[in-house]
Amino acid sequence: MKKAIIGKKVGMTQIFDEAGKVVPVTVIEAGPCVVVQKKTVEKEGYASVQMGFEETAEHKLTKPEKGHLAKAGVGNMRVLHEFRLENTDELNVGDVVKADTFAEGDKVDVTGVSKGKGYQGVIKRWGQGRTPTSHGGGPVHRHAGSMGSSADPARIMPGKNQAGHMGDEQVTVQNLDVVKVDSELNMIVIRGAIPGPKGGIVVIKNTVKNNKVKQAATGVSKNPQKQSGRTNPQKASARNR
């Protein structure tokens, strides 16, 4: 991981690019984040920094949190998150990380907690189909239906898609484009949607995807047995050989 910051989802909107095309974007209030703790290889066995985001009232913190933040002398931070950065050695407790740590054109991964949907059935939760709606189907058209097993093992195996709690889980959307960065407004604008409701806490990191540049096509085969190697005098590519 090279770069990272904690932010808050503001909402979605749309902007126009240079070609006049509409670009759907999500606006994130990113930082400023304060370095609360610094871990080293000599003491903890690995190098990382813990960042804090968004000040809160003191009575909303637990006693261990108050002691931890008082030791760093950085104020009452509502959100704490640890990152393993490449420039960990350059950061110290009390340093501020702002939105300009990212730049326009960067590829990022955004992690947040998805919206909770409550207790849902198998149709909404897993996209299963309904039972037939005619000839005595009864009021069970959206039920899961029969799922019992035989005498052996006489139970439902783990992993079966059933009704239950939907949403409210950590989700990461990968390989999104940073469209705009404004350090004065603490704003990062990212193309596309990210998980969570408005006001939800998100973590932005540079993507783990390997964005390789597409290479040009290889030369035409010299083997006449292959389709690409057969000469067609009507094609310009054949006349240029």
Side-chain angles (χ1 to χ4, degrees):
M1 183 191 303
K2 297 180 181 179
K3 299 181 291 186
I5 196 170
I6 309 171
K8 181 169 63 175
K9 180 177 177 179
V10 178
M12 289 199 70
T13 182
Q14 61 185 25
I15 61 177
F16 295 88
D17 61 8
E18 297 177 355
K21 294 184 178 179
V22 174
V23 180
V25 296
T26 302
V27 180
I28 300 175
E29 180 187 343
C33 296
V34 184
V35 177
V36 177
Q37 184 183 13
K38 181 177 179 179
K39 296 185 177 181
T40 60
V41 178
E42 294 77 14
K43 187 175 181 180
E44 284 83 13
Y46 65 97
S48 69
V49 292
Q50 185 186 67
M51 295 186 190
F53 172 71
E54 198 174 54
E55 290 198 12
T56 185
E58 183 179 356
H59 70 272
K60 293 185 178 181
L61 300 176
T62 63
K63 193 171 183 179
E65 290 173 340
K66 293 178 184 178
H68 178 64
L69 294 170
K71 181 180 179 181
V74 295
N76 301 318
M77 294 293 150
R78 185 169 76 93
V79 182
L80 298 176
H81 202 286
E82 185 176 311
F83 302 100
R84 297 192 185 188
L85 307 177
E86 286 190 350
N87 63 338
T88 302
D89 297 335
E90 303 173 6
L91 297 173
N92 296 306
V93 175
D95 290 351
V96 179
V97 179
K98 297 184 178 180
D100 56 6
T101 187
F102 290 95
E104 182 178 338
D106 287 350
K107 298 281 189 177
V108 296
D109 296 342
V110 182
T111 302
V113 178
S114 62
K115 293 181 181 180
K117 308 291 185 181
Y119 190 95
Q120 299 298 333
V122 293
I123 293 181
K124 182 170 182 178
R125 192 182 185 197
W126 302 109
Q128 295 183 5
R130 299 191 307 169
T131 60
T133 57
S134 61
H135 301 293
V140 293
H141 303 304
R142 295 178 64 89
H143 287 202
S146 175
M147 63 179 70
S149 185
S150 58
D152 182 21
R155 63 189 176 93
I156 299 174
M157 303 302 291
K160 174 69 175 177
N161 290 352
Q162 299 188 71
H165 188 198
M166 180 179 176
D168 193 25
E169 57 186 3
Q170 181 173 295
V171 180
T172 299
V173 181
Q174 295 182 323
N175 211 25
L176 299 176
D177 296 317
V178 175
V179 178
K180 185 178 180 181
V181 176
D182 192 327
S183 58
E184 295 183 359
L185 298 176
N186 301 322
M187 180 179 68
I188 296 180
V189 181
I190 297 177
R191 181 188 181 102
I194 63 173
K198 295 178 182 179
I201 299 298
V202 296
V203 174
I204 307 173
K205 301 174 288 188
N206 62 313
T207 185
V208 296
K209 295 283 188 179
N210 186 8
N211 294 293
K212 295 182 179 179
V213 179
K214 293 184 179 180
Q215 299 179 353
T218 57
V220 179
S221 175
K222 302 297 182 180
N223 187 352
Q225 300 299 322
K226 293 185 177 180
Q227 181 67 30
S228 60
R230 298 173 188 170
T231 303
N232 185 349
Q234 302 299 325
K235 291 185 176 181
S237 60
R239 293 194 294 269
N240 293 333
R241 285 187 181 181

